[in-house]
Structures are given as structure tokens and as C-alpha cells.
Amino acid sequence: MFDTTLLLIAAFVAGALNSVAGGGSFLTLPALVFTGVPPVVANATGTVALLPGYAAGAWGFREDTQPPPGLSMPRLVLLSLIGGAAGAGLLLVTSNDMFSIIVPWLLLAATLLFALGPELREWTAGGKPSTAKATAGVLIVAAYGGYFNGGLGILLLALFGLLGQTNLNAMNGLKNWVSALLTAIAVAIYAAGGVVLWPQALMMMVAATLGGYGGARVARRIPAPWLRGGIVLTGLVMTAIFFYRQ
């Protein structure tokens, strides 16, 4: 009963956080690991749980979404699917012992990316369009997202800024579309590889969807600096715990 309650709360709050700021993976992955789920399976299962939120966000921004300079939408879709599949395939061949060693570092990197998100987007803004640069960037970030979901949104926004995109609504819409696409193909590969715990995934999926809809209303009332600080603190605490558990 405690495990179920923990997973539902983590997924609900993660859904709310992802809808307004990101950082939901900082809660779903640790919650699953703390309930005894092996790290690789926990990562895959948590990613499945957050997929509906990405899809809903993509649909919500459908009128604003446009591809970054240097890419067409069909090419972006193809690159997202290829990169997501590559990352998911890499996760399947990573042992639990190896992933346990990697996870704290991934959490730390994702936390720092989140903390430096506004500065990172500012540093990368105004880049010159380049098809080669756009292709390589989307493939790399999509592969990262297929392997480990934490900090994906920040990386995508930074990438779109680097490619010369300036409309924030278009960037957010595109971020959700790419996240949904690469996560969908990753989930299909996770399922084929047998690394998804479906009872936990479906239960958390419902909670995350409800959190994205209702929890965001509460989260929006929290001052943005406080919300960002709370997410960064959560990421640092989870990072420290995972380092301690090694």
C-alpha cells in the first residue's frame, strides 16, 4: 500500500511539474527505484508514465508549432524517431549495475541543465540556420531522451535557440512534439524488450495525466523562482541519495 501511494503521488506531482516547468523525472525514477524496481526497468516504466503529458502538451501547442530553421517538419519527425529509438536500444543493452553507476551522474547533469536553463537558452539564442547542425543536434538530443528522460525539455529548448528559433510558444510546442515522438518510439522499444512494469506504468500514467491537468493549477500559483528552486533542490537531493546508494 505504501509503495502504491508513493508511486501515485510521485507521478501526480511529476505530471504537474512537467506541465509548468519540467523536472518530473526527478520524482518518477527515484520513486520506482525506492520501491524495489531495478534501475533500467524504473527508467523505462517512468518514461511510459509521462508519455501522455507530452502528447497533451503537443496537442495544446498545435497551432503554434513550427520546425526550427534548417529542418522541415517531416524531417524533424523522422530524426526524433530515429534518435529516440537509438537511445532506447542503448538502454536495453545497459546492465542494471552499469545504469546504477550512471544514474547519479545523469541526474546531476539534468539538475544542472534545469538550473541553468534560462541562461543556457540565452547563450544559444540567435544561431544561424544550418541543416547539418540541426540534423546532428536533433539526433543527439533525441537519443539522450530515448535513453534518459531527465532534463530533456531544457536540452530541446536550448537546441532550438541554437538553431535560431526565437518564438517561445513555437519552441515549447516543438519541444512537446519532439518529446512525445521520441518517447513514443522509446516506449515501443522498451515494451518489446520487456523492461516495462505495466501495472505500475498504467497506474502512474493516470496519476501523471491528472497531475498535469489539475496539479498545474496549484503549481502556477507558486512564484516561478520558488518553483524552479524547489525542482533544483529535489534534483540535488535525489542525486545525493543515488550517489550514497552506490
Side-chain angles (χ1 to χ4, degrees), residues 12-98:
F12 182 88
V13 178
L17 289 178
N18 276 350
S19 68
V20 296
S25 298
F26 295 154
L27 296 175
T28 53
L29 173 62
L32 284 159
V33 171
F34 293 161
T35 58
V37 179
V40 169
V41 178
N43 186 58
T45 302
T47 300
V48 173
L50 296 177
L51 175 57
Y54 291 136
W59 181 251
F61 278 106
R62 65 190 182 279
E63 296 175 349
D64 300 301
T65 303
Q66 53 186 271
L71 289 179
S72 65
M73 188 59 80
R75 187 182 183 91
L76 181 69
V77 169
L78 181 61
L79 292 173
S80 300
L81 294 174
I82 292 173
L90 181 60
L91 180 69
L92 291 185
V93 298
T94 303
S95 69
N96 280 301
D97 289 341
M98 178 58 68

Side-chain angles (χ1 to χ4, degrees), residues 2 4 15 59 71 80 84 87-88 108 117 121 130 152 164 180 187 194 200 224 230 232 237-238:
F2 174 79
T4 299
W59 181 251
L71 289 179
S80 300
L108 179 59
R121 291 196 294 273
S130 166
L152 174 61
V187 165
Q200 289 91 327
V232 171
V237 170
M238 295 303 172

Side-chain angles (χ1 to χ4, degrees), residues 91-129:
L91 180 69
L92 291 185
V93 298
T94 303
S95 69
N96 280 301
D97 289 341
M98 178 58 68
F99 196 69
S100 295
I101 295 172
I102 296 172
V103 161
W105 295 102
L106 289 173
L107 282 172
L108 179 59
T111 302
L112 293 177
L113 283 172
F114 187 87
L116 297 173
E119 292 80 5
L120 188 59
R121 291 196 294 273
E122 184 177 338
W123 293 337
T124 57
K128 296 181 180 179

Side-chain angles (χ1 to χ4, degrees), residues 1-17 24 27-28 31 203-204 207-208 211:
M1 184 63 182
F2 174 79
D3 287 357
T4 299
T5 302
L6 175 63
L7 294 179
L8 287 174
I9 292 174
F12 182 88
V13 178
L17 289 178
L27 296 175
T28 53
M203 174 180 67
M204 294 175 74

Side-chain angles (χ1 to χ4, degrees), residues 136-161:
V138 172
L139 278 175
I140 292 170
V141 175
Y144 169 88
Y147 186 79
F148 182 71
N149 213 251
L152 174 61
I154 293 298
L155 276 177
L156 285 171
L157 288 175
L159 173 64
F160 299 147

Side-chain angles (χ1 to χ4, degrees), residues 36-37 97 109 152 163 180 183 202 242:
V37 179
D97 289 341
L152 174 61
L163 297 178
T183 301
L202 295 175
F242 271 86

